Short mmCIF file of all heavy atoms in Angstrom, two decimals:
data_model
loop_
_atom_site.label_atom_id
_atom_site.label_comp_id
_atom_site.label_asym_id
_atom_site.label_seq_id
_atom_site.Cartn_x
_atom_site.Cartn_y
_atom_site.Cartn_z
N HIS A 6 -53.13 60.32 16.63
CA HIS A 6 -54.04 61.01 17.61
C HIS A 6 -55.38 61.43 16.85
O HIS A 6 -56.37 61.81 17.52
CB HIS A 6 -53.37 62.23 18.24
CG HIS A 6 -53.16 63.38 17.28
ND1 HIS A 6 -51.97 63.54 16.57
CD2 HIS A 6 -54.00 64.36 16.97
CE1 HIS A 6 -52.03 64.63 15.88
NE2 HIS A 6 -53.27 65.19 16.07
N GLU A 7 -55.36 61.46 15.50
CA GLU A 7 -56.50 61.91 14.71
C GLU A 7 -57.56 60.68 14.57
O GLU A 7 -58.50 60.90 13.87
CB GLU A 7 -56.03 62.37 13.37
CG GLU A 7 -55.16 63.63 13.41
CD GLU A 7 -54.80 64.05 12.09
OE1 GLU A 7 -55.61 64.51 11.28
OE2 GLU A 7 -53.48 63.92 11.65
N PHE A 8 -57.24 59.58 15.21
CA PHE A 8 -58.12 58.43 15.03
C PHE A 8 -58.68 57.96 16.34
O PHE A 8 -58.11 58.19 17.39
CB PHE A 8 -57.37 57.21 14.37
CG PHE A 8 -56.86 57.55 13.05
CD1 PHE A 8 -55.54 58.15 12.74
CD2 PHE A 8 -57.62 57.24 11.96
CE1 PHE A 8 -55.08 58.38 11.41
CE2 PHE A 8 -57.19 57.53 10.57
CZ PHE A 8 -55.96 58.07 10.43
N SER A 9 -59.85 57.25 16.34
CA SER A 9 -60.36 56.61 17.54
C SER A 9 -59.55 55.33 17.87
O SER A 9 -58.82 54.91 17.12
CB SER A 9 -61.84 56.22 17.21
OG SER A 9 -61.87 55.16 16.26
N GLY A 10 -59.90 54.80 19.06
CA GLY A 10 -59.18 53.55 19.51
C GLY A 10 -59.35 52.46 18.50
O GLY A 10 -58.43 51.67 18.20
N GLY A 11 -60.59 52.28 17.98
CA GLY A 11 -60.87 51.16 17.10
C GLY A 11 -59.99 51.27 15.84
O GLY A 11 -59.47 50.42 15.24
N GLN A 12 -60.03 52.64 15.33
CA GLN A 12 -59.20 52.87 14.09
C GLN A 12 -57.72 52.69 14.32
O GLN A 12 -57.02 52.25 13.47
CB GLN A 12 -59.57 54.29 13.58
CG GLN A 12 -60.93 54.49 13.07
CD GLN A 12 -61.25 55.99 12.73
OE1 GLN A 12 -60.88 56.86 13.66
NE2 GLN A 12 -61.94 56.20 11.75
N ARG A 13 -57.37 53.00 15.51
CA ARG A 13 -55.84 52.86 15.79
C ARG A 13 -55.53 51.29 15.83
O ARG A 13 -54.42 50.98 15.28
CB ARG A 13 -55.49 53.49 17.08
CG ARG A 13 -55.58 54.94 17.15
CD ARG A 13 -54.99 55.55 18.53
NE ARG A 13 -55.40 56.92 18.69
CZ ARG A 13 -54.93 57.73 19.64
NH1 ARG A 13 -53.95 57.24 20.31
NH2 ARG A 13 -55.28 58.95 19.69
N GLN A 14 -56.43 50.55 16.30
CA GLN A 14 -56.14 49.14 16.35
C GLN A 14 -56.13 48.52 14.88
O GLN A 14 -55.48 47.67 14.52
CB GLN A 14 -57.12 48.37 17.16
CG GLN A 14 -56.65 46.92 17.70
CD GLN A 14 -55.43 46.92 18.32
OE1 GLN A 14 -54.33 47.30 17.98
NE2 GLN A 14 -55.50 46.47 19.62
N ARG A 15 -57.01 49.14 14.00
CA ARG A 15 -56.96 48.87 12.58
C ARG A 15 -55.66 49.08 11.96
O ARG A 15 -55.17 48.33 11.16
CB ARG A 15 -58.15 49.51 11.79
CG ARG A 15 -59.48 48.94 12.15
CD ARG A 15 -60.51 49.72 11.55
NE ARG A 15 -61.87 49.28 12.00
CZ ARG A 15 -62.62 48.37 11.16
NH1 ARG A 15 -62.21 48.05 10.03
NH2 ARG A 15 -63.77 47.98 11.54
N ILE A 16 -54.99 50.32 12.35
CA ILE A 16 -53.77 50.73 11.88
C ILE A 16 -52.75 49.59 12.31
O ILE A 16 -51.79 49.24 11.53
CB ILE A 16 -53.40 52.06 12.29
CG1 ILE A 16 -54.36 53.09 11.83
CG2 ILE A 16 -51.90 52.42 12.16
CD1 ILE A 16 -54.29 54.48 12.42
N ALA A 17 -52.83 49.20 13.62
CA ALA A 17 -51.88 48.31 14.13
C ALA A 17 -51.99 46.95 13.36
O ALA A 17 -50.99 46.22 13.08
CB ALA A 17 -52.15 47.96 15.60
N ILE A 18 -53.14 46.49 13.09
CA ILE A 18 -53.33 45.25 12.42
C ILE A 18 -52.80 45.41 10.85
O ILE A 18 -52.26 44.48 10.32
CB ILE A 18 -54.94 44.92 12.29
CG1 ILE A 18 -55.41 44.63 13.67
CG2 ILE A 18 -55.22 43.76 11.26
CD1 ILE A 18 -56.98 44.40 13.77
N ALA A 19 -53.09 46.61 10.23
CA ALA A 19 -52.45 46.92 8.96
C ALA A 19 -50.94 46.78 9.04
O ALA A 19 -50.38 46.18 8.03
CB ALA A 19 -52.96 48.31 8.42
N ARG A 20 -50.34 47.29 10.07
CA ARG A 20 -48.82 47.14 10.14
C ARG A 20 -48.53 45.67 10.21
O ARG A 20 -47.44 45.33 9.51
CB ARG A 20 -48.38 47.91 11.39
CG ARG A 20 -46.89 47.91 11.53
CD ARG A 20 -46.47 48.77 12.78
NE ARG A 20 -47.15 48.38 13.99
CZ ARG A 20 -46.97 49.07 15.15
NH1 ARG A 20 -46.21 50.11 15.08
NH2 ARG A 20 -47.60 48.60 16.24
N ALA A 21 -49.23 44.89 10.98
CA ALA A 21 -48.88 43.37 10.98
C ALA A 21 -49.15 42.71 9.65
O ALA A 21 -48.45 41.82 9.42
CB ALA A 21 -49.62 42.83 12.13
N LEU A 22 -50.13 43.18 8.97
CA LEU A 22 -50.44 42.53 7.74
C LEU A 22 -49.59 42.88 6.56
O LEU A 22 -49.56 42.13 5.54
CB LEU A 22 -51.96 42.85 7.41
CG LEU A 22 -53.01 42.00 8.04
CD1 LEU A 22 -54.37 42.48 7.67
CD2 LEU A 22 -52.85 40.46 7.51
N VAL A 23 -48.88 43.96 6.54
CA VAL A 23 -48.28 44.55 5.38
C VAL A 23 -47.24 43.68 4.76
O VAL A 23 -47.04 43.71 3.56
CB VAL A 23 -47.68 45.88 5.59
CG1 VAL A 23 -46.46 45.92 6.54
CG2 VAL A 23 -47.46 46.85 4.42
N THR A 24 -46.71 42.82 5.63
CA THR A 24 -45.63 41.89 5.00
C THR A 24 -46.34 40.52 4.52
O THR A 24 -45.52 39.58 4.18
CB THR A 24 -44.58 41.50 6.09
OG1 THR A 24 -45.28 40.91 7.20
CG2 THR A 24 -43.80 42.79 6.52
N ARG A 25 -47.67 40.40 4.56
CA ARG A 25 -48.40 39.27 4.24
C ARG A 25 -47.88 37.98 5.05
O ARG A 25 -47.45 37.02 4.55
CB ARG A 25 -48.22 38.93 2.79
CG ARG A 25 -48.90 39.96 1.83
CD ARG A 25 -50.40 39.91 2.00
NE ARG A 25 -51.09 40.85 1.15
CZ ARG A 25 -51.39 42.10 1.37
NH1 ARG A 25 -51.20 42.59 2.59
NH2 ARG A 25 -52.01 42.85 0.45
N PRO A 26 -47.96 38.15 6.43
CA PRO A 26 -47.41 37.10 7.27
C PRO A 26 -48.26 35.85 7.23
O PRO A 26 -49.54 35.81 6.88
CB PRO A 26 -47.43 37.68 8.68
CG PRO A 26 -48.59 38.67 8.59
CD PRO A 26 -48.62 39.20 7.20
N LYS A 27 -47.70 34.67 7.50
CA LYS A 27 -48.40 33.48 7.67
C LYS A 27 -48.94 33.37 9.11
O LYS A 27 -50.07 32.61 9.26
CB LYS A 27 -47.48 32.29 7.52
CG LYS A 27 -46.84 32.16 6.06
CD LYS A 27 -47.92 31.94 4.99
CE LYS A 27 -47.23 31.86 3.64
NZ LYS A 27 -48.15 31.68 2.62
N LEU A 28 -48.40 34.01 10.01
CA LEU A 28 -48.78 33.95 11.44
C LEU A 28 -48.93 35.37 12.11
O LEU A 28 -47.96 36.20 11.87
CB LEU A 28 -47.81 33.09 12.24
CG LEU A 28 -47.95 33.14 13.75
CD1 LEU A 28 -49.19 32.43 14.24
CD2 LEU A 28 -46.65 32.50 14.47
N ILE A 29 -49.89 35.60 12.78
CA ILE A 29 -50.13 36.82 13.59
C ILE A 29 -50.39 36.47 14.96
O ILE A 29 -51.26 35.70 15.28
CB ILE A 29 -51.20 37.76 13.11
CG1 ILE A 29 -50.85 38.36 11.80
CG2 ILE A 29 -51.59 38.86 14.09
CD1 ILE A 29 -51.83 39.38 11.22
N VAL A 30 -49.46 37.00 15.97
CA VAL A 30 -49.67 36.75 17.34
C VAL A 30 -50.39 38.03 17.89
O VAL A 30 -49.75 39.11 17.72
CB VAL A 30 -48.33 36.58 18.09
CG1 VAL A 30 -48.55 36.50 19.57
CG2 VAL A 30 -47.79 35.21 17.56
N ALA A 31 -51.63 37.94 18.37
CA ALA A 31 -52.31 39.13 18.87
C ALA A 31 -52.38 39.00 20.40
O ALA A 31 -53.11 38.06 20.94
CB ALA A 31 -53.71 39.13 18.28
N ASP A 32 -51.89 39.95 21.08
CA ASP A 32 -51.83 39.97 22.54
C ASP A 32 -52.89 40.91 23.10
O ASP A 32 -52.59 42.11 23.04
CB ASP A 32 -50.29 40.28 23.11
CG ASP A 32 -50.29 40.13 24.61
OD1 ASP A 32 -51.25 39.57 25.33
OD2 ASP A 32 -49.22 40.48 25.21
#
C-alpha cells in the first residue's frame, strides 16, 4: 500500500523474474 499502481506492477514483475524464467505469461 506504500507504492503507486505502476510501482506495484514492477513488484509483480520482480516476483515473476526472481526465478530467472524462460517464459513470462502476462495477462
Side-chain angles (χ1 to χ4, degrees):
H6 72 267
E7 299 180 67
F8 297 90
S9 67
Q12 289 172 321
R13 292 188 197 193
Q14 197 62 297
R15 287 172 183 265
I16 295 168
I18 294 169
R20 178 175 57 185
L22 275 174
V23 75
T24 62
R25 294 291 183 267
K27 300 295 185 183
L28 169 70
I29 289 181
V30 176
D32 187 4

